[in-house]
Amino acid sequence: MTSPLQTLLETRDWLLADGATGTNLFNMGLSSGDAPELWNVSEPAKITALYQSAVDAGSDIFLTNSFGGNAARLKLHSAANRARELSRISAEIGRNVADKADHQVIVAGSVGPTGEIMAPLGQLTHALAVEIFHEQAEGLKEGGADVLWLETISAPEEYIAAAEAFALADMPWCGTMSFDTAGRTMMGVTSAAMVAMVEKLSHPPLAYGANCGVGSSDLLRTVQGFAAQGVERPIIAKGNAGIPKYVDGHIHYDGTPDLMADYAVLARDSGARIIGGCCGTMPEHLREMRNALETRPKADKPTLEEIAKRLGAFSSPSDGLGDAEPTATRTNRRRRN
């Protein structure tokens, strides 16, 4: 059966995803260190408001509040046995919001990393990782998610385990990795290596790409790395709203709505079909992104120099695919939030 997301991708040139989950929930009162997923039960009105804010800003896709909703992550909050329940409720709330929207909206069940290191470097075996991801996938499926959405993955072994788990759940999915170390994930994966991995999967994602990282410039360089591989599978770009800075004791992202509007158009012109924001991206950013995508005509692929000029310098001279690029770079690497 064709999934709703696949149908949309066949009829639209681009889709707008949502923005940040954590940043928005912190603004609603979530305390640092608390599990956002517990709010699915204790603060359902706030989770509804989170989803509704993305829909009202024009998003075609929003992610559920279940990023850390797997047993390995919830174990840190003495809630490992609630992974399926909390994921299900996150999707149920999302289904209710999407079904009332004035345009078709896809409920994407967010699945984040386990937080464990895969064997042989760590203790997490492939079989256990599949079990953990499968449990969460079944909860999201029961809650009414249209598609599963793997995100912020660094290790290829974890990405592969999730793909197997999603096949067991018989669910379509999308999957992004986070490239934040000179164009590579923390475990050394390049954009080209990710494409090769994705195309070998027996249950491949409907779309793949990058999220989070160190800034929108770096993310778009990675997107162009994906596009250069010549694969027709839709590409996802979900970049942070600028760079995090500490302001009055709080983390603030310096990307303005105008900057994110430029980012959205440059992402589309670089080859992305699904475009959204990650950390720091608020509804006001999404509205400007939507407006820009609707009103600015498609253009040729931007050069790296143009990306750096409009969005800010790259954090490293190379994306790991070849020689260093002749573009400005940032010298002050900042911690990703």
Side-chain angles (χ1 to χ4, degrees):
M1 182 181 296
T2 302
S3 74
L5 177 59
Q6 187 174 352
T7 299
L8 272 183
L9 285 167
E10 290 171 354
T11 58
R12 294 270 303 278
D13 292 334
W14 54 266
L15 299 175
L16 181 68
D18 63 357
T21 295
T23 309
N24 282 283
L25 292 183
F26 288 138
N27 288 345
M28 293 180 184
L30 180 70
S31 297
S32 178
D34 288 350
E37 294 75 23
L38 295 175
W39 269 25
N40 296 329
V41 173
S42 64
E43 298 282 0
K46 291 183 178 180
I47 302 306
T48 297
L50 170 71
Y51 299 161
Q52 190 65 54
S53 68
V55 173
D56 291 345
S59 292
D60 301 297
I61 303 165
F62 67 78
L63 276 57
T64 58
N65 180 42
S66 52
F67 176 81
N70 62 69
R73 293 284 289 268
L74 289 172
K75 178 175 62 177
L76 303 175
H77 305 278
S78 302
N81 63 339
R82 302 184 67 187
R84 187 164 181 158
E85 170 207 357
L86 294 172
S87 293
R88 172 180 56 79
I89 295 171
S90 75
E92 287 175 346
I93 297 171
R95 184 77 270 151
N96 186 54
V97 171
D99 288 347
K100 294 178 180 178
D102 61 1
H103 62 281
Q104 185 176 6
V105 179
I106 302 298
V107 179
S110 174
V111 177
T114 62
E116 305 286 341
I117 298 177
M118 295 284 293
L121 298 178
Q123 300 300 311
L124 182 63
T125 65
H126 174 80
L128 182 55
V130 172
E131 180 182 330
I132 289 170
F133 285 130
H134 185 207
E135 177 184 33
Q136 187 175 14
E138 290 291 353
L140 291 165
K141 180 179 180 179
E142 290 170 358
D146 295 302
V147 63
L148 303 178
W149 193 284
L150 184 69
E151 56 176 336
T152 325
I153 301 297
S154 295
E157 296 85 359
E158 198 165 30
Y159 198 97
I160 292 167
E164 184 175 327
F166 299 161
L168 291 174
D170 192 25
M171 282 290 286
W173 65 289
C174 296
T176 59
M177 301 185 83
S178 182
F179 297 78
D180 55 7
T181 308
R184 298 171 182 263
T185 73
M186 186 169 56
M187 301 306 288
V189 180
T190 65
S191 55
M194 182 183 180
V195 173
M197 173 187 66
V198 164
E199 294 306 312
K200 291 178 182 176
L201 294 172
S202 59
H203 182 51
L206 297 178
Y208 72 99
N211 79 292
C212 207
V214 292
S216 52
S217 297
D218 287 54
L219 188 133
L220 292 191
R221 184 169 61 179
T222 296
V223 166
Q224 292 195 1
F226 294 143
Q229 307 311 307
V231 173
E232 293 186 0
R233 194 177 306 278
I235 296 170
I236 300 165
K238 217 166 184 288
N240 293 340
I243 302 297
K245 298 178 179 178
Y246 277 104
V247 179
D248 296 329
H250 300 282
I251 292 178
H252 171 75
Y253 284 80
D254 62 5
T256 64
D258 286 343
L259 181 141
M260 290 302 285
D262 286 345
Y263 147 79
V265 171
L266 291 169
R268 178 198 63 192
D269 296 345
S270 291
R273 296 273 314 280
I274 299 176
I275 302 159
C278 204
C279 300
T281 308
M282 310 298 286
E284 53 265 33
H285 295 103
L286 294 173
R287 282 190 287 271
E288 291 304 315
M289 290 163 66
R290 178 95 197 188
N291 180 63
L293 288 166
E294 289 181 335
T295 60
R296 300 188 199 178
K298 185 83 165 60
D300 294 336
K301 181 182 77 172
T303 64
L304 296 182
E305 288 79 7
E306 181 180 358
I307 290 173
K309 180 179 179 180
R310 295 176 65 180
L311 301 182
F314 298 99
S315 67
S316 64
S318 172
D319 64 354
L321 296 184
D323 295 335
E325 310 289 353
T327 53
T329 61
R330 288 192 297 272
T331 58
N332 52 332
R333 294 295 300 277
R334 294 181 172 89
R335 179 177 64 84
R336 176 165 57 84
N337 180 49

